[in-house]
Amino acid sequence: MAARVPDVSELLGSARRLYEQVFGEEPLVAGCAPGRVNLIGEHTDYNHGFVLPMALPLVTVVVGSPTSNLRATIVTATEEVDEPRRVDLVLAADAPPLSPGSPRWANYVKGVIVHYKAVPVPGFRAVVASTVPLGGGLSSSASLEVAFYTFLQQLKPDNGDKMSKVLTCQKAEHTHAGVPCGIMDQFVSVFGIEGHALLIDCRSLEAIPVPLADPDLVVLITNSNVKHSLTGSEYPIRRKQCEEAASALGKDSLRNVSIRDLEEAKATLDDVTYRRARHVVEEIERTVQAAEALKRGAYKEFGKLMVESHNSLRNQYEVSCSELDELVSAAMEVEGVYGSRMTGGGFGGCTVTLLQAHVVDKVIHHIQERYSGTPTFYITTPSEGARTLTLT
């Protein structure tokens, strides 16, 4: 069976109760931001290519209140994070800077506070609660960053510019979490539209909504529940390899490289650099084709592109793992499945599968029988982006 995920109102209620328990008062404001699943377009965002994510009903909620001093206390309800689950920060101008450190989960919050546009940030108390699984490739980090920014906007409003919000949250991840992520995760967490995926051009930062509301269609996320430690070091390595490939081809980024360019320069590139670049160049084109297929309702064509994407991520980019390959293979064995692929950075985490609604239970049962681990399933729909929540 698919996991039952608390809806936003339930999650908000549990965050409020924890806040009252810890601080002895009721919170005054609340913000919310979703995780995301990327349907296709993996490792293309930091190469200025196209991606096709959708915001999820899995969200992070932040509740809290301003205080009269320049101190901040943040408590997380997420049990899987590193300890301690409470941090106390000094926000005064003459205090030491909010540097990355332990616990790691607080680094995302620190980064948002440091880069927040409306300064000075007032003192506050806050509780964080989330239904986005950690380390699953569903962007729990961007969900936390954007939810926290949304919370701060209510304490000290900024100019309300959404793109500035996206870029600030991305910067927080770069400087305080040490992850040189592309723009996709924060973008879709801010700009997500209910019933739509977003075709995002990561060079121009323009997005085209792509309808995804067919009641006969289901987007199934399967969490492998494995996390390989490689991902932390391999991500920046892949990014550097892409930059080196673009430089060797005399281009600013792989977005400007065609397959013909790549083939003509193949002899000048080592095998690994060539394969990394080939994945990105082909994946950018696949993503554009997939968005067009989705607009036409050509689900078989879309599914075929999903599988091609997974195979390329496995063979050319080398960021899949045996567990993800198992999950994709098992899903594709069931009639009524259009396509399946790993999603997120890789080395564990989740797969995303597009299938006919009436075969969902059959697919879940089949994967459970075939998969060597213990998967978790989420039946998802494209959801709205960051928003404030009313406390009544």
Side-chain angles (χ1 to χ4, degrees):
M1 284 184 60
R4 185 195 173 278
V5 178
D7 63 22
V8 174
S9 62
E10 289 177 82
L11 187 63
L12 178 62
S14 63
R16 289 179 73 168
R17 286 190 294 274
L18 180 57
Y19 184 92
E20 290 164 13
Q21 178 186 328
V22 172
F23 299 113
E25 62 182 25
E26 289 204 3
L28 299 179
V29 297
C32 170
R36 64 96 189 97
V37 65
N38 193 23
L39 300 173
I40 194 167
E42 217 65 72
H43 291 279
T44 54
D45 61 342
Y46 54 82
N47 289 292
H48 297 166
F50 288 93
V51 291
L52 188 66
M54 69 181 211
L56 291 171
L58 305 167
V59 301
T60 298
V61 164
V62 181
V63 302
S65 303
T67 61
S68 57
N69 56 39
L70 288 174
R71 293 179 176 273
T73 299
I74 305 106
V75 175
T76 179
T78 306
E79 294 179 0
E80 295 85 0
V81 299
D82 52 330
E83 297 284 351
R85 285 162 53 189
R86 170 178 173 148
V87 293
D88 293 282
L89 308 174
V90 180
L91 306 178
D94 58 353
L98 298 180
S99 302
S102 182
R104 291 185 302 275
W105 66 265
N107 290 332
Y108 302 99
V109 174
K110 291 177 185 176
V112 172
I113 293 171
V114 166
H115 300 302
Y116 187 67
K117 296 302 181 185
V119 292
V121 174
F124 62 86
R125 294 168 169 169
V127 162
V128 177
S130 186
T131 52
V132 188
L134 298 184
L138 302 181
S139 202
S140 58
S141 57
S143 175
L144 172 57
E145 292 153 3
V146 174
F148 212 88
Y149 194 106
T150 305
F151 167 74
L152 291 181
Q153 283 178 300
Q154 294 170 82
L155 300 184
K156 178 136 186 180
D158 64 350
N159 64 7
D161 180 68
K162 286 188 171 184
M163 188 54 68
S164 176
K165 182 176 183 175
V166 169
L167 294 169
T168 298
C169 291
Q170 181 195 28
K171 189 175 182 181
E173 187 140 346
H174 287 183
T175 62
H176 282 68
V179 178
C181 63
I183 198 71
M184 171 178 62
D185 299 352
Q186 292 83 5
F187 192 112
V188 71
S189 189
V190 170
F191 286 101
I193 301 173
E194 187 174 357
H196 295 76
L198 288 182
L199 178 65
I200 304 169
D201 182 336
C202 298
R203 180 170 64 189
S204 68
L205 300 183
E206 295 173 316
I208 299 171
V210 181
L212 184 55
D214 186 335
D216 295 325
L217 197 67
V218 160
V219 176
L220 177 69
I221 295 172
T222 306
N223 193 343
S224 67
N225 287 311
V226 297
K227 304 179 184 73
H228 292 296
S229 59
L230 284 170
T231 184
S233 59
E234 293 290 336
Y235 184 95
I237 289 172
R238 293 299 184 283
R239 183 163 184 160
K240 189 168 187 291
Q241 289 167 334
C242 291
E243 291 167 353
E244 289 171 349
S247 178
L249 292 161
K251 305 290 186 179
D252 291 340
S253 73
L254 290 178
R255 167 68 178 273
N256 301 319
V257 175
S258 67
I259 283 294
R260 182 176 176 179
D261 293 334
L262 191 57
E263 291 306 307
E264 288 176 352
K266 184 176 181 179
T268 67
L269 302 172
D270 65 80
D271 178 62
V272 171
T273 303
Y274 167 78
R275 287 188 291 114
R276 302 295 187 258
R278 180 160 189 126
H279 164 74
V280 172
V281 172
E282 291 182 336
E283 185 81 346
I284 290 171
E285 180 59 29
R286 266 192 295 269
T287 304
V288 174
Q289 292 173 2
E292 289 301 318
L294 200 56
K295 288 178 190 174
R296 298 195 311 272
Y299 302 140
K300 285 185 179 179
E301 182 182 337
F302 189 94
K304 181 173 178 286
L305 292 164
M306 291 178 78
V307 174
E308 288 177 6
S309 171
H310 180 80
N311 292 341
S312 180
L313 288 159
R314 180 189 64 208
N315 301 329
Q316 307 276 18
Y317 220 63
E318 296 182 284
V319 291
S320 188
C321 60
S322 60
E323 294 91 348
L324 293 173
D325 297 341
E326 270 184 49
L327 291 173
V328 169
S329 295
M332 293 306 300
E333 289 168 356
V334 182
E335 184 91 22
V337 171
Y338 294 115
S340 186
R341 58 182 288 277
M342 61 154 279
T343 186
F347 306 106
C350 294
T351 61
V352 58
T353 304
L354 194 73
L355 64 156
Q356 296 173 17
H358 68 90
V359 298
V360 166
D361 291 341
K362 185 177 180 181
V363 170
I364 289 174
H365 181 69
H366 184 74
I367 291 174
Q368 284 174 324
E369 284 192 329
R370 293 294 305 273
Y371 180 50
S372 57
T374 306
T376 306
F377 301 93
Y378 303 95
I379 297 170
T380 64
T381 53
S383 302
E384 63 180 311
R387 64 259 190 207
T388 59
L389 300 175
T390 303
L391 296 174
T392 53

